[in-house]
Amino acid sequence: MVVSKAWTLHQHFQGFPKASDFHLREETLPQPRDGQVLLEAVFLSVDPYMRPYSQTMMKEGDVMIGSQVAKVIQSYNPSFPVGCHVVSDCGWRSHWVCDGAELTPVLPDWPQDIPLSLALGAIGMPGLTALYGLEEVCEIKKGETLLVNAAAGAVGSVVGQIAKIKGCRVVGCAGTDTKVSYLKQLGFDQVFNYKTVTSLEESLREAAPHGYDCYFENVGGKFSSVVMPQMREYGRIAVCGSISMYNDTTPQTGILSTPQTGKLSTPQTGILSTPQTGLLSTPQTGPYVHTYMIFKQLRMEGFLCARWKHKHQQSLRRLMAWMTEHITGTGPTTSLRGPHLVITATVSGMPDPVKTGTRTHT
């Protein structure tokens, strides 16, 4: 018998997650039967999607959702021999018994000099999300200008690098000066700290005076309403996330119902019928995107990377090739790098997911 340690959702989040929202418990697992394997977690993922998904997919007491890189330590399934590594969606557990139906083998020729944690990052779901958002949704083309927010995150950092590999001009924003420096190292053309700029609107305009062909949306909320007027005709918007709103306790209402001052100051003088300065005569609760969508002929599409599951193995190999080119120095200067997880799951104990649930950069 193996005793597994698991982090559970003690209570649903109200605002930002707290340590008291989680509970660590022990589970005694059954002996694997024919066709089953026993997994031992090596790395656990902590991703933004867990915040909204937990509200609809989980009840209090459930094991926290999430992916992990795990090692097979006991096997009665010839498809998963002892010692191999897999990606599993069994949540925040140190061990788990399963039949292998939902396991994804780590690429068998995974290079020794590339951390296995990247199977949860640039060579995993975040990398696939970046690739599909750019190629399948934005249909990005060489020479275009791309904007990506939350650009230092697991998805955003890969988005910018792939766009550079494809010959695009990339503008990114992040919330600390350290992240801004990191993005410059990755080859982003223009980067700024959205928390310290005087005007988000002006910073976006200075970074791309002629506007944006593609916008990879990770943040949502007020940020999105500032970007819309700066999209170019026939622009494409891939809606991947809305992290600015995940921890809200009251719904956001956009920026058009408040005086246009401060960091998000945005007098709307573009294609609206009247200049929008100061308070509107009739308060709106937008943002309302319809006018920009129509007259700029924009295309805005939400997506989940599982839509292209049939392409995952091929796509993971493309991501790995870019990563290998960076490490060996045989590829372009923008060959792929990627943030990876610092959360290590061990048999002796599981880390506090609130305190250590961050990604670091390599």
Side-chain angles (χ1 to χ4, degrees):
M1 295 291 184
V2 172
V3 176
S4 173
K5 296 183 178 181
W7 282 101
T8 64
L9 181 67
H10 178 63
Q11 59 188 6
H12 281 288
F13 308 121
Q14 294 294 323
F16 284 88
K18 307 177 296 298
S20 59
D21 295 330
F22 302 91
H23 175 70
L24 182 62
R25 77 179 185 208
E26 293 186 346
E27 304 172 319
T28 300
L29 302 181
Q31 179 70 17
R33 302 189 302 271
D34 285 347
Q36 293 186 324
V37 296
L38 173 61
L39 304 178
E40 182 176 277
V42 181
F43 297 101
L44 305 179
S45 70
V46 178
D47 293 291
Y49 78 83
M50 296 175 179
R51 181 62 175 79
Y53 273 50
S54 68
Q55 295 294 121
T56 58
M57 296 178 59
M58 298 182 64
K59 61 181 183 296
E60 293 177 353
D62 286 350
V63 174
M64 193 63 196
I65 57 176
S67 300
Q68 61 173 252
V69 172
K71 184 177 182 179
V72 176
I73 61 173
Q74 193 173 352
S75 177
Y76 296 94
N77 186 325
S79 298
F80 300 99
V82 171
C84 74
H85 289 87
V86 298
V87 175
S88 167
D89 290 325
C90 63
W92 291 1
R93 290 181 166 97
S94 65
H95 296 80
W96 188 238
V97 173
C98 66
D99 61 8
E102 297 300 321
L103 300 182
T104 302
V106 170
L107 293 176
D109 51 352
W110 190 281
Q112 291 186 349
D113 53 356
I114 293 181
L116 271 176
S117 59
L118 288 178
L120 299 176
I123 318 297
M125 181 274 290
L128 293 171
T129 301
L131 183 65
Y132 297 145
L134 287 175
E135 292 189 345
E136 304 291 341
V137 180
C138 284
E139 298 178 345
I140 199 163
K141 303 176 183 64
K142 182 178 180 180
E144 292 187 321
T145 298
L146 167 78
L147 170 66
V148 55
N149 48 21
V155 174
S157 61
V158 179
V159 167
Q161 292 176 83
I162 293 176
K164 289 301 297 179
I165 290 171
K166 290 179 170 293
C168 298
R169 186 171 182 275
V170 178
V171 176
C173 68
T176 70
D177 292 339
T178 299
K179 292 178 181 179
V180 167
S181 297
Y182 171 66
L183 294 173
K184 290 179 179 178
Q185 294 173 21
L186 294 184
F188 281 57
D189 296 285
Q190 294 287 332
V191 192
F192 63 87
N193 183 340
Y194 71 91
K195 292 183 179 179
T196 58
V197 297
T198 303
S199 166
L200 176 59
E201 179 191 28
E202 290 305 316
S203 297
L204 289 171
R205 199 176 304 282
E206 289 174 7
H210 301 293
Y212 298 93
D213 300 287
C214 293
Y215 171 32
F216 199 105
E217 169 69 283
N218 291 309
V219 173
K222 296 177 180 179
F223 193 107
S224 183
S225 63
V226 178
V227 175
M228 293 298 289
Q230 300 194 35
M231 292 299 297
R232 300 187 66 184
E233 191 173 25
Y234 307 116
R236 289 89 67 203
I237 303 169
V239 182
C240 175
S242 186
I243 59 177
S244 72
M245 299 185 286
Y246 291 165
N247 294 310
D248 287 352
T249 54
T250 56
Q252 292 189 30
T253 57
I255 60 172
L256 297 183
S257 60
T258 58
Q260 305 303 308
T261 58
K263 295 179 181 178
L264 290 170
S265 175
T266 55
Q268 306 294 329
T269 58
I271 58 176
L272 299 181
S273 57
T274 57
Q276 304 300 318
T277 57
L279 281 172
L280 297 180
S281 56
T282 302
Q284 299 184 40
T285 57
Y288 298 118
V289 302
H290 303 77
T291 304
Y292 300 111
M293 296 285 290
I294 295 168
F295 287 97
K296 291 176 178 287
Q297 302 186 70
L298 305 178
R299 177 161 57 84
M300 187 175 191
E301 181 178 347
F303 73 100
L304 299 172
C305 74
R307 189 195 310 180
W308 299 279
K309 187 175 181 178
H310 62 286
K311 300 176 64 171
H312 279 5
Q313 285 302 304
Q314 170 193 348
S315 299
L316 289 172
R317 290 199 172 278
R318 292 177 63 199
L319 293 167
M320 179 62 80
W322 283 327
M323 180 70 69
T324 304
E325 288 172 356
H326 165 72
I327 291 177
T328 61
T330 58
T333 57
T334 51
S335 297
L336 191 62
R337 298 171 65 184
H340 70 278
L341 295 178
V342 297
I343 292 186
T344 303
T346 65
V347 177
S348 59
M350 300 272 280
D352 184 330
V354 176
K355 295 178 181 178
T356 60
T358 56
R359 295 176 183 265
T360 188
H361 306 300
T362 59

